[in-house]
């Protein structure tokens, strides 16, 4: 039995394919979806097919049509006519066709309890990756989930759809394992997505800056549902706790929603009414920044546990907009104007500052958000510069990714989700342990 198969372009549900189907057409957006073979044996064949198609596409982009035909035949077999027709389909922005029988392994490899089948689609010249899965006999294991992520990442990289997360030395600090989304207003599409959050069940929440739209995805980027917060005011920030409660910052208030359904719960009661951002600490309490240059620690009932006055602690220029707290209780506040991160210990005592404008590797001109992983490393998205990494003391470590990344969110498994606003996508990175 197959789980729901969704279109990789619009995330609309697709009808189950027939037993011998090689492709499907999305009834909603018209995308052609190419289905690769049985789950057990598809893995090796898909990898070879993806590698060859990736090389062919690179040749076509450079205008080397004859060489592309030769590479197709040499890598996937088949006759000259078949190869030429496949190349013509690729040039027209259509799927090349199914994997030739000669390239399919005759000895299926043992499948996981949760076996993934790569699904490749070529729509208007853009390459996408999706997946379908056999229903597991038990709950999907973390190993199986990671296998799906690896298959998707390898497919996208082979087809040139995902840019590398390389630093200046050519090293890869974080592995990009998933990318989902496209431009638009349909399911799984974004116009101005700037905030992202993840709950304890792995649901991913992505919010638009204007219009109050919040979309919900599973950990593999499959669209689940959407709901609306305040449609009239900008959505400043988004956070989620382990129980699936989503905290939305709008109109200077912190509002609570049931994440899976969007049911409005209530506002976090507080005499502070100029909140800019919110984060959920490991103990379930909230840390927030306010428009009066304060960092506020409060319970979910609104009781204020601590207030840090940054003008007093750091200086009159301090104007933090984002906050994060580590597992040890250290607090980090991001000042979007000065490009600095302010570090406080668990008692609220100012420790140090780092970052700031300049030309050095650790400088930041337009920081947008920050997060802290399980090892205490601090991640800061810097618009146009990707994501920069610092240790707990503020020493620069590395950077990865690129483009205009606004919101970032981390899971307990050191997975980082980033809202790549100008790419109209959410990117998932697996960080080094």
């Amino acid at each position: 039995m197959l789980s729901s198969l969704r279109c990789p372009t619009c995330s609309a549900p697709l009808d189950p394919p027939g037993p011998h189907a090689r492709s499907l057409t999305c009834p909603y957006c018209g995308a052609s979806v190419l289905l690769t073979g049985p789950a057990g044996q598809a893995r090796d064949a898909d990898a070879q097919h993806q590698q060859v198609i990736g090389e062919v596409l690179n040749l076509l982009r450079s205008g080397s049509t004859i060489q592309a035909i030769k590479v197709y035949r040499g890598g996937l077999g088949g006759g000259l006519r078949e190869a030429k027709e496949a190349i013509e389909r690729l040039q027209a922005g259509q799927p090349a066709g199914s994997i030739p029988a000669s390239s399919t392994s005759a000895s299926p490899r043992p499948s996981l309890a949760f076996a993934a089948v790569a699904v490749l689609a070529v729509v208007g010249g853009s390459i996408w990756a999706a997946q379908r899965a056999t229903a597991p006999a038990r709950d999907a294991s973390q190993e199986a989930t990671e296998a799906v992520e690896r298959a998707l990442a390898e497919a996208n990289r082979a087809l040139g759809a995902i840019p590398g997360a390389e630093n200046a030395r050519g090293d890869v600090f974080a592995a990009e394992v998933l990318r989902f989304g496209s431009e638009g207003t349909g399911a799984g599409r974004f116009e101005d997505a700037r905030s992202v959050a993840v709950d304890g069940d792995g649901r991913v929440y992505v919010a638009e800056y204007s219009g109050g739209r919040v979309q919900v995805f599973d950990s593999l980027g499959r669209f689940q549902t959407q709901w609306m917060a305040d449609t009239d005011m900008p959505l400043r920030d988004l956070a989620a706790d382990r129980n699936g409660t989503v905290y939305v910052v709008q109109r200077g208030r912190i509002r609570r929603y049931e994440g899976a359904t969007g049911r409005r719960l209530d506002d976090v009661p507080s005499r502070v009414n100029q909140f800019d951002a919110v984060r959920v600490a490991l103990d379930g309490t909230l840390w927030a920044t306010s428009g009066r240059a304060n960092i506020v620690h409060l319970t979910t009932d609104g009781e204020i546990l601590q207030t840090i006055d940054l003008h007093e602690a750091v200086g009159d220029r301090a104007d933090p907009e984002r906050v994060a707290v580590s597992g040890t209780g250290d607090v980090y506040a991001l000042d979007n104007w000065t490009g600095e991160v302010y570090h406080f210990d668990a008692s609220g005592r100012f420790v140090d500052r780092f970052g700031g404008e300049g030309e050095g590797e650790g400088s930041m001109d337009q920081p947008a958000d920050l997060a802290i992983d399980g090892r205490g490393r601090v991640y800061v998205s810097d618009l146009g510069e990707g994501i920069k990494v610092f240790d707990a003391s503020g020493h620069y470590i590395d950077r990865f990714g690129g483009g205009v990344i606004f919101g970032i969110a981390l899971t307990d498994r050191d997975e980082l989700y980033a809202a790549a606003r100008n790419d109209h996508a959410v990117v998932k990175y697996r960080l080094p342990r």
Side-chain angles (χ1 to χ4, degrees):
M1 179 179 177
L2 292 177
S3 65
S4 61
L5 177 63
R6 293 184 179 274
C7 174
T9 300
C10 70
S11 293
L14 300 177
D15 294 331
H20 304 293
R22 293 289 187 176
S23 64
L24 293 173
T25 300
C26 176
Y28 296 88
C29 70
S32 297
V33 181
L34 173 64
L35 304 177
T36 62
Q41 69 184 31
R43 214 169 286 126
D44 290 339
D46 286 345
Q48 179 185 358
H49 186 259
Q50 294 155 12
Q51 182 177 0
V52 172
I53 295 298
E55 186 175 353
V56 165
L57 288 169
N58 286 332
L59 289 169
L60 290 177
R61 293 187 189 103
S62 65
S64 304
T65 304
I66 301 300
Q67 185 63 24
I69 294 173
K70 291 180 180 179
V71 169
Y72 185 94
R73 291 190 65 192
L76 300 179
L80 177 61
R81 179 177 179 180
E82 178 186 4
K84 291 175 67 175
E85 290 176 349
I87 297 303
E88 289 172 356
R89 285 193 292 271
L90 286 172
Q91 289 175 317
Q94 301 171 357
S98 59
I99 301 175
S102 61
S103 68
T104 303
S105 171
S107 303
R109 298 172 59 183
S111 59
L112 295 169
F114 184 73
V117 180
V119 181
L120 305 181
V122 183
V123 185
S126 299
I127 311 321
W128 296 84
Q131 70 285 323
R132 67 175 180 173
T134 57
R138 55 182 175 82
D139 290 341
S141 66
Q142 178 62 22
E143 176 189 1
T145 300
E146 292 178 1
V148 175
E149 293 172 349
R150 287 194 298 271
L152 293 174
E154 289 166 4
N156 277 297
R157 288 192 185 94
L159 295 173
I162 294 179
E166 296 185 357
N167 59 24
R169 298 185 304 275
D171 304 323
V172 177
F173 177 84
E176 184 177 326
V177 296
L178 183 66
R179 174 178 291 235
F180 57 92
S182 58
E183 185 176 6
T185 59
R189 294 172 178 259
F190 310 117
E191 290 188 299
D192 189 11
R194 301 192 192 185
S195 300
V196 60
V198 187
D199 69 15
D201 290 329
R203 281 186 291 261
V204 183
Y205 305 92
V206 185
E208 301 277 342
Y209 180 71
S210 302
R213 185 186 188 208
V214 179
Q215 295 188 68
V216 186
F217 303 84
D218 67 12
S219 62
L220 295 177
R222 293 175 296 203
F223 175 81
Q224 302 295 297
T225 187
Q226 76 167 35
W227 45 268
M228 307 300 288
D230 189 331
T231 60
D232 296 326
M233 295 297 291
L235 196 154
R236 302 292 302 276
D237 197 18
L238 188 75
D241 67 16
R242 283 173 172 72
N243 298 320
T245 299
V246 174
Y247 297 85
V248 173
V249 179
Q250 285 184 295
R251 297 183 184 270
R253 307 293 297 175
I254 301 175
R255 296 175 168 176
R256 280 189 283 233
Y257 296 83
E258 186 178 83
T261 65
R263 181 171 67 90
R264 173 76 181 272
L265 300 176
D266 55 9
D267 288 2
V268 175
S270 175
R271 63 176 181 269
V272 179
N273 59 5
Q274 290 297 322
F275 290 114
D276 294 315
V278 64
R279 286 293 180 270
V280 182
L282 292 181
D283 62 3
T285 59
L286 306 178
W287 285 88
T289 59
S290 78
R292 292 190 293 271
N294 289 332
I295 301 173
V296 183
H297 186 199
L298 63 162
T299 68
T300 55
D301 293 328
E303 176 188 354
I304 295 179
L305 302 174
Q306 183 182 16
T307 299
I308 302 174
D309 185 333
L310 271 84
H311 284 174
E312 179 180 327
V314 179
D316 291 341
R317 290 190 62 200
D319 189 12
E321 190 168 328
R322 293 287 186 258
V323 64
V325 58
S326 72
T328 60
D330 284 48
V331 179
Y332 295 82
L334 176 63
D335 192 322
N336 301 68
W337 294 103
T338 66
E340 292 180 295
V341 175
Y342 308 125
H343 177 195
F344 301 85
D345 66 16
S347 68
R349 180 180 62 87
F350 176 64
V351 176
D352 202 358
R353 64 209 299 167
F354 57 91
E357 299 177 351
E359 301 297 329
E361 285 184 321
S363 63
M364 294 178 290
D365 292 329
Q366 299 183 74
D369 201 2
L370 83 166
I372 304 171
D373 71 10
R375 294 179 59 180
R377 293 174 297 205
V378 181
Y379 298 80
V380 183
S381 59
D382 192 8
L383 302 186
E385 296 291 332
I387 299 170
K388 296 181 178 178
V389 190
F390 303 83
D391 67 16
S393 298
H395 300 114
Y396 176 78
I397 298 175
D398 214 332
R399 63 175 292 271
F400 62 93
V404 179
I405 294 174
F406 274 86
I408 56 178
L410 276 159
T411 71
D412 294 338
R413 295 190 299 272
D414 285 342
E415 300 161 328
L416 186 148
Y417 288 85
R421 187 261 185 194
N422 287 10
D423 292 335
H424 305 287
V426 171
V427 185
K428 179 180 180 180
Y429 297 95
R430 188 172 299 285
L431 307 175
R433 294 296 181 100

